[in-house]
Amino acid sequence: MSLFPPGKRETICFGDTTFDLYELSGYERCEYLAKTTGHLGVTEEGELQKTVITKIGQLWDARRQELSNRLLLVAYALRPGREESLEELHQELCKSVVPEQIDILYIPAAKLSRLYFEVDALYQESSPAQTEVSEAPEKKE
């Protein structure tokens, strides 16, 4: 159980089961982000070090880690309504959810806690083509 009272709640169907997902508190969001990004190397300038994958095993391990991180967020979102510990929930999710179905649980949990961003929207905001289009009308005036 969480130390913080649950925030918003969303009920979703996954297979034959209905789950209640809860919004993560600010503390839980920070804890989740620390757990999932702690392994990333940062230079003195504050830039992330690029990881070079040289073996198929490293690629598989990186992909497995990404899936595990998504399921960890789902475990956090399920925890207020469950008796199990965070670790028990996470392990059970890793055992029972196939990679093709993770987003059915992950996306609603991430959106509920404001940790989900549309990738296409992020690229469009920083796209040079869009900047040029938005600057063109200003030059005409």
Side-chain angles (χ1 to χ4, degrees), residues 36-119:
T36 57
T37 60
H39 67 284
L40 300 175
V42 180
T43 65
E44 290 181 13
E45 295 81 28
E47 295 179 5
L48 289 178
Q49 296 174 349
K50 293 182 180 177
T51 303
V52 178
I53 297 176
T54 58
K55 299 178 182 174
I56 295 293
Q58 290 173 322
L59 177 61
W60 179 85
D61 188 54
R63 180 69 176 140
R64 182 184 55 80
Q65 184 65 34
E66 177 188 328
L67 297 174
S68 177
N69 288 344
R70 288 179 177 209
L71 290 173
L72 180 60
L73 178 67
V74 174
Y76 268 104
L78 287 170
R79 186 170 58 168
R82 305 291 293 261
E83 301 267 334
E84 301 96 321
S85 70
L86 177 67
E87 292 76 21
E88 290 171 335
L89 282 170
H90 185 231
Q91 288 175 1
E92 186 60 35
L93 287 167
C94 288
K95 291 178 188 175
S96 58
V97 179
V98 295
E100 294 79 22
Q101 295 179 327
I102 287 175
D103 284 344
I104 296 170
L105 295 170
Y106 169 75
I107 291 174
K111 284 182 177 180
L112 192 59
S113 294
R114 296 178 303 279
L115 291 172
Y116 183 78
F117 302 96
E118 296 287 340
V119 175

